Amino acid sequence: MTGFVVKRLGGAVFVLLVLSALVYGLFYLAPSDPARLACGERCSPAQIAQVREQLGLNESVLTQYAQFLQGVFTGRDYSTGVSTLRCDAPCLGFSYQSDQQVTELILDRLPATASLALGAMVIWLTVGVGTGLLSALRRGGLTERALTVATLAATGTPVFILGLLMLMVVCAYLQWLPFPTYVPLGEDPEQWAWNMLLPWLTLGFFESAKYARLTRSSTLETLAEDHIRTFRAYGVGERAIVGRHALRGAVPPVIALSALDLGTMFGGAVLTESLFGIPGLGKTLIDGVRVIDLPVVVGVVLVIGAAVVLANVVADLLYAAADRRVVLS
């Protein structure tokens, strides 16, 4: 187990280095000038040159990338032209647009994304696993057909369409809830929950469709195995067979997929965050790309990459814990 974790963490560091290098390379191919964007439209050429010097944009790409890595591992100093600012490790630089430390910006936006992803995961696991299990146990009946149609409809509906329907029906037509406005958990937990309910339902229902299909197929596959037929031949009750054996076979792939989806949600919920005005990492990434804010983009990409890599490790560990036949190597 220890060797497996060490090996995967070493691979994670390599993947993150490659990601950061690719982002740096791609953004230096962009035609926009970060110094002009940071300085503003009314800046003179002399002011733009001064900003370019302060940002270190006159250095080569390799030098800038090496300085970025130095900041991540040991911290670095930034010159403002009048004084020097210290950015402690892990330093991801300063935003070109807001002059805020990227690390602080990410830590400020991370709770919104985490709350969206975790709340949606509860819904997609509850609805998806429950629907898939019920569909497998009612195979061939009217219930199974209705659930299959609902699953296909959820799969084919884009998340932003589902979100708009939620807003129109729940907020505008039925007026059960006000239009969501993000409230931090620390300010008002009750309002935070009420305003996150629609984003949770939207993302949770959208993701639950694939969990329903996965649970159904895994349960049917387990119920068709020889040892299940043996249990039935010995008179073991159907409830005991499903609870003790069928679910055990269906749980490992669901656990693995949940861990991967949770990691991906840290950067993949862009449409949901934009639709409901949630100031999370996905929206921050899109805003950074739009204004060529390189430090913000690189920082968010690294955080998302770290979340996905960590989710892969956790998924492997949980899969091995749920299925003792899996050997970690």
Side-chain angles (χ1 to χ4, degrees), residues 169-188:
V169 174
V170 177
C171 299
Y173 181 70
L174 299 176
Q175 297 184 356
W176 286 350
L177 292 172
F179 285 90
T181 302
Y182 180 74
V183 177
L185 175 62
E187 291 184 8
D188 191 334

Side-chain angles (χ1 to χ4, degrees), residues 63-148:
T63 300
Q64 293 185 53
Y65 181 63
Q67 292 173 347
F68 169 77
L69 293 182
Q70 175 191 346
V72 171
F73 292 106
T74 64
R76 58 181 296 196
D77 295 324
Y78 284 86
S79 173
T80 63
V82 178
S83 60
T84 300
L85 294 177
R86 178 64 183 174
C87 183
D88 296 325
C91 176
L92 299 174
F94 288 82
S95 168
Y96 292 162
Q97 298 297 309
S98 64
D99 290 332
Q100 184 180 3
Q101 281 197 34
V102 175
T103 304
E104 295 178 353
L105 179 64
I106 291 175
L107 292 176
D108 183 57
R109 303 296 176 87
L110 187 60
T113 296
S115 61
L116 173 63
L118 291 172
M121 184 178 71
V122 173
I123 293 176
W124 79 53
L125 285 177
T126 303
V127 175
V129 173
T131 301
L133 183 61
L134 184 61
S135 179
L137 297 179
R138 298 290 188 270
R139 186 180 184 185
L142 181 61
T143 302
E144 192 266 344
R145 295 191 185 94
L147 292 176
T148 300

Side-chain angles (χ1 to χ4, degrees), residues 235-257:
V236 179
E238 193 68 19
R239 181 175 297 181
I241 290 176
V242 173
R244 296 179 183 177
H245 304 284
L247 279 179
R248 184 177 299 176
V251 163
V254 171
I255 290 176
L257 184 59

Side-chain angles (χ1 to χ4, degrees), residues 256-269:
L257 184 59
S258 296
L260 293 176
D261 278 344
L262 183 62
T264 306
M265 282 299 136
F266 278 84

